[in-house]
Amino acid sequence: MRSLHSLPLLLHALAVGVAGLLNVTIDDTDPAIVYTGVWEPSSTLMSSLDYGGTHTLSADTNAKATLKFTGVAVYYLVPRWPYAVNTQLSLDGGEPVVVNLTDPHASATAPGGSESAPSSVAWSATSLSNTTHTLVLSMAPSGLYIVADGFM
Ligand SMILES: *[C@@H]1O[C@H](CO)[C@@H](O)[C@H](O)[C@H]1NC(C)=O
Ligand SMILES: *[C@@H]1O[C@H](CO)[C@@H](O)[C@H](O)[C@H]1NC(C)=O
Ligand SMILES: *[C@@H]1O[C@H](CO)[C@@H](O)[C@H](O)[C@H]1NC(C)=O
């Protein structure tokens, strides 16, 4: 009897173990992302190279984009540009990391033009505890912009 009683629990544990990991991607327009400071609205920054067809951009050195999520990993999805673009990320108040968003495969153009490579993972953090985490995007010391596009 004992083993029969514990069978449903065992099956449940196996199901969670196998199917518990699921990637969910949210767009830069998702209300889960809290933007502070001055941001250019995504409706003015449309491109088929962006996740969901738009990105959100700031040139404000004090601006921040904050995403709180629960999960064991986070991926920063963003297109690349044929000139110097970067964004600084900090997870759970940790040491900020500057992510280089210059397209290594495009010939350089003057700053300000369109992106040249489609949105893809530019930074990630995995093997996190399955708890609530906070990811903050800000201006890198050497930066001109902060870019938000997609988060998985
Ligand atoms: C994380 O915890 C939630 C419940 O809070 C659970 O539904 C989910 O399966 C867990 N994910 C992993 C990968 O452990
Ligand atoms: C989620 O996406 C990442 C990055 O593409 C990939 O490495 C990972 O295997 C995916 N996880 C699941 C559960 O699909
Ligand atoms: C960013 O990446 C581009 C393309 O690979 C490279 O040319 C450039 O030197 C990098 N910038 C920094 C600050 O590392």
Side-chain angles (χ1 to χ4, degrees):
M1 283 307 283
R2 183 168 289 243
S3 59
L4 276 180
H5 275 134
S6 56
L7 187 62
L9 272 179
L10 175 67
L11 289 177
H12 178 72
L14 284 173
V16 169
V18 171
L21 292 177
L22 174 71
N23 279 332
V24 177
T25 308
I26 66 166
D27 200 7
D28 54 290
T29 52
D30 195 291
I33 305 166
V34 176
Y35 294 99
T36 58
V38 181
W39 289 79
E40 289 180 40
S42 72
S43 57
T44 64
L45 299 162
M46 295 165 68
S47 168
S48 59
L49 296 175
D50 296 346
Y51 177 81
T54 62
H55 66 275
T56 302
L57 182 78
S58 178
D60 173 2
T61 49
N62 295 314
K64 287 188 173 28
T66 302
L67 172 68
K68 282 191 166 50
F69 65 93
T70 301
V72 295
V74 59
Y75 302 84
Y76 171 58
L77 306 176
V78 66
R80 307 295 194 280
W81 282 264
Y83 50 90
V85 177
N86 61 24
T87 289
Q88 181 169 268
L89 275 68
S90 171
L91 180 65
D92 296 331
E95 192 66 30
V97 176
V98 177
V99 180
N100 186 346
L101 304 178
T102 301
D103 182 354
H105 306 296
S107 41
T109 66
S114 323
E115 45 281 67
S116 53
S119 192
S120 66
V121 175
W123 173 92
S124 64
T126 57
S127 302
L128 306 176
S129 59
N130 188 16
T131 52
T132 301
H133 300 279
T134 305
L135 181 66
V136 178
L137 274 57
S138 61
M139 181 82 77
S142 60
L144 298 171
Y145 309 110
I146 313 167
V147 185
D149 183 23
F151 298 91
M152 180 162 70

